[in-house]
Each structure stands twice: as structure tokens, then as C-alpha cells.
Amino acid sequence: MDFNVKKLASDAGVFFTRAVQFTEEKLGQAEKTELDPHLENLITRADSTKNWTEKILRQTEVLLQPNPSARIEEFIYDKLDKKLPSRMTTAELLGQYMLDAAKEFGADSPYGSTLITVGEYQKRLGGAEREFLQTSAAAFLSPLRNFLEGDWRTISKEKRLLENRRLDLDICKARLKKAKHAEAKAAAAPDFQETRPRNYVLSASASAVSSAEHELRVAQTEFDRQAEVTRLLLEGISSTHLNHLRCLQDFAEAQTTYFSQCHHHMQELQRELHSSNPAFPSDHSSPGASFSACDPKPGPLSMEPPATGTRKAKVLYDYDAHDASELSLLADELITVYTVPGMDPDWLVGERGNEKGKVPVTYLELLS
């Protein structure tokens, strides 16, 4: 018990001394040892990495889960190291509502059958979203969290130790400076004290200087050692950047896959709706020019192809052919188009060099 009390008192004394040194430095009343410029740059770079990683992580969480209550629930389950209960995505829930509605309205009715079709595709969209969320969490969010909760905590701990070693070093420098000042003052003072002769005072001053010099050497050694440890850790931030770069690439690839799946599902949905209901707009309508059956106003690109002859056309959007009968298009390129008798009015025959195939009218601007 005595040992613990002494240690507590010693720690309190060290803390108080460091606090005094820190305060005097802030007030400009004490000298401060400056870190090596390279080490300062490493610290600044590491702090920026930590700050931006936190911001990117938080905003990505908002992107993947806009519902704050759901994010809090996920956070609690993660801290408790428990598996989050499976929940339906919004698209899956919407799809299920449509399927339930179709049962009530009758699956054989036009409205009911359409609800079933759209509902099934909504559930497919929800499945793609679920896969995207899982992939993004594993490939992007987890590595960022691991850095903040693992590597950065270690770096922060060593940075605090370095700051403490620097304060101890500056305290020892101040003590040595005071001891030397006292020694010089004692050497200049006349020998008139009977109880404490001049030689005794000089000896005590020299002993204080020697002790302060020893403490300074020890403090300098500990500071240099801690600075080296901190430097090695901070240089590892470059590896962190490389790791985060790979995570960014994985995240972008997951996004690309997700949006490609969504695009594919929606094209298939429009194909199916158009085949079951010819009054429904073509499945190849451009997002910028599409219009629903509920909107009587057609888009600006809804135009009839020429009855005969060939014309030049400018491609407005990229288009990927879905089978061998179609022609892939690149935005802004010029192609030759014409129609043939009996052809769907939403399509033209396009030619580019030796390539030929069907192209959607809504992706073209017909030139005079």
C-alpha cells in the first residue's frame, strides 16, 4: 500500500511539473524543444489522414445507410460483437408490397400482373443493393474502421509519449540552466558566511549541476528513443494510403457492379412490360428522354424514323447491344441509319463502316 501511495504521489508530481512546463511554454515563459522538421511533417500528414478517414467513413456510412436510427442500431450491434438481424432493403420491401397488392387485386388482371412483374424486379434490385452493401462494408468500411481503431490508436499513444518525453527534456534543460545560474552566483559571492562557508556552497552548487546534467542526458536519450519509435510508426502511413487506395478501387468496382446490375434489371423490366403491353414505352428509352405511360407528354427525342432512304444520325448516349442483331453505340459518334418495311418504329437499322445492327431511335438525333 505504501508503494502505491508513493507511486501515486510521484506520478502526480510529474504530471504537475509537466503541466507547469506546458503552461509556461504557451505563455512564452519557457523554451520549447522543436521536433525534427521531417518528424513534424509526418505528424501533420498522419493527423490529416486520420481526420479525412473519419470524414470519408462517416459520409460513406450515410451513403450506404441513410437512416440514422438504422446506423445507430448497426453501431450498437457492432460494439456488442453481435450479428445484426437481417432486414429487407427498401426495394425488397416495396417489391413485397407490390406482390401482396397483386394477390388482392387479382394476378390475372392487367394491373395485378404488372404489379407482380414490377414487384419481382424491385426485389431483384433490393438483392443487388444488399450484395453491394455487404461488399462495401467488407472491402471499404471495415479497413477504414480498423485503421482508426487499431493503427491510429497506437500512433496516438506513441505521440502522447513523445510529447511527455519532450516536456521532461525541457524540464531538465530548465533545471540545468537554473543550477548553472546558481553555481555562477555562488562563485561570485564573497565568503562571509560562518555557518556555510563558500567552499560548501560551491560544492553543493557543483553537485546540483552534475545531477541536472545527468538527468538531462537520461531525458535526452529517452526523448530520442521515443522520437525514433514515433517516426517509424508515422512512416507507416504511406502503407495505410496504399491500403486505402486498394479499398477505394474495390468500392468503386462494387458500385460499378451494383449500378450495372440495376441498369440490367431495369432494361429487362422495360422489355417485359413492353412485350406484355405494347402501349408501354420502349425498353430502350433514354433516362433523359423517357416518359411513363401516366405522362401524356412525350420526351423531346420521341420522333418517327424516315419511311425510306438513309440519313445521318448523331448518337446521344452510349448504348450496349443486347444481342447480335443490335449495334453498340458511343455518344457523339455519327452513323448512317435507315428503316425497313415492317420494322418496329422505335428502332432503325444503323451502319458504321462494316458494322450493322438495330439501334434505338431515342438514342439518336436524326440529322437533315
Side-chain angles (χ1 to χ4, degrees):
M1 184 65 181
D2 292 340
F3 171 78
N4 291 336
V5 171
K6 291 179 179 179
K7 184 177 186 301
L8 181 61
S10 175
D11 291 344
V14 171
F15 176 81
F16 177 76
T17 306
R18 288 172 178 169
V20 171
Q21 174 67 25
F22 180 80
T23 303
E24 290 180 347
E25 289 175 358
K26 290 298 182 181
L27 296 175
Q29 299 174 356
E31 296 181 0
K32 176 182 177 181
T33 299
E34 299 295 336
L35 299 178
D36 177 79
H38 176 61
L39 184 56
E40 286 280 12
N41 290 335
L42 289 176
I43 291 176
T44 301
R45 187 163 177 254
D47 289 339
S48 296
T49 300
K50 179 256 186 183
N51 293 334
W52 283 110
T53 299
E54 284 182 332
K55 292 179 181 179
I56 292 172
L57 175 63
R58 285 196 299 266
Q59 194 57 38
T60 305
E61 289 174 338
V62 172
L63 172 68
L64 299 180
Q65 179 51 268
N67 188 337
S69 299
R71 291 201 303 273
I72 293 175
E73 182 182 3
E74 292 174 357
F75 175 80
I76 293 175
Y77 273 90
D78 180 65
K79 291 302 179 184
L80 296 177
D81 199 21
K82 291 185 177 181
K83 185 178 180 181
L84 185 69
S86 178
R87 67 162 63 94
M88 298 178 71
T89 64
T90 54
E92 288 176 318
L93 187 59
L94 174 60
Q96 188 59 50
Y97 284 167
M98 290 181 175
L99 294 178
D100 293 341
K103 293 178 182 178
E104 183 169 342
F105 294 126
D108 296 334
S109 67
Y111 182 41
S113 62
T114 304
L115 279 172
I116 292 176
T117 301
V118 177
E120 289 292 346
Y121 277 94
Q122 290 299 323
K123 297 188 75 171
R124 294 183 191 180
L125 291 174
E129 180 184 2
R130 180 187 301 278
E131 182 179 350
F132 168 61
L133 295 177
Q134 293 173 349
T135 302
S136 298
F140 190 59
L141 295 182
S142 292
L144 298 188
R145 288 197 191 101
N146 291 339
F147 166 71
L148 293 173
E149 297 175 1
D151 294 349
W152 182 252
R153 288 186 179 180
T154 302
I155 291 174
S156 297
K157 177 183 176 182
E158 297 302 328
K159 282 174 58 184
R160 288 193 298 269
L161 286 175
L162 177 62
E163 178 64 10
N164 289 337
R165 295 292 180 264
R166 186 199 63 75
L167 289 171
D168 293 342
L169 176 62
D170 288 335
I171 290 169
C172 290
K173 288 181 178 180
R175 285 176 181 171
L176 178 59
K177 186 177 180 180
K178 291 179 181 179
K180 287 186 175 181
H181 178 73
E183 182 182 40
K185 186 176 180 181
D191 186 9
F192 61 86
Q193 301 181 23
E194 296 181 358
T195 57
R196 298 181 65 185
R198 185 168 183 270
N199 290 339
Y200 173 80
V201 174
L202 289 174
S203 176
S205 300
S207 177
V209 170
S210 177
S211 176
E213 288 177 340
H214 173 71
E215 291 178 355
L216 178 59
R217 286 193 296 271
V218 173
Q220 185 69 58
T221 300
E222 292 180 350
F223 171 77
D224 292 341
R225 183 186 301 115
Q226 185 59 38
E228 181 64 17
V229 170
T230 306
R231 182 186 64 80
L232 292 174
L233 282 174
L234 293 174
E235 288 178 345
I237 290 294
S238 296
S239 299
T240 299
H241 286 186
L242 290 176
N243 183 41
H244 289 183
L245 170 61
R246 289 190 291 269
C247 294
L248 275 173
Q249 292 172 336
D250 293 340
F251 180 59
E253 182 177 349
Q255 281 186 307
T256 302
T257 301
Y258 168 60
F259 289 118
S260 295
Q261 289 175 338
C262 291
H263 179 68
H264 174 72
H265 290 323
M266 294 311 298
Q267 283 192 319
E268 291 298 318
L269 172 59
Q270 286 191 319
R271 285 179 188 274
E272 192 165 334
L273 291 174
H274 184 65
S275 62
S276 61
N277 181 11
F280 197 85
S282 172
D283 59 318
H284 297 293
S285 297
S286 163
S290 64
F291 58 95
S292 70
C294 300
D295 186 355
K297 296 187 297 183
L301 298 179
S302 180
M303 60 181 71
E304 291 296 323
T308 58
T310 62
R311 297 177 68 177
K312 290 290 185 180
K314 179 182 178 181
V315 179
L316 299 175
Y317 314 98
D318 290 347
Y319 176 74
D320 294 328
H322 292 79
D323 53 52
S325 67
E326 298 179 6
L327 178 66
S328 294
L329 302 175
L330 294 176
D332 297 328
E333 71 173 330
L334 294 177
I335 62 173
T336 301
V337 295
Y338 57 90
T339 187
V340 294
M343 190 172 185
D344 188 328
D346 291 324
W347 293 81
L348 292 172
V349 177
E351 289 186 355
R352 181 181 55 232
N354 295 328
E355 297 179 300
K356 178 191 299 186
K358 294 192 304 179
V359 294
V361 173
T362 52
Y363 277 66
L364 305 174
E365 177 185 353
L366 298 178
L367 305 177
S368 57

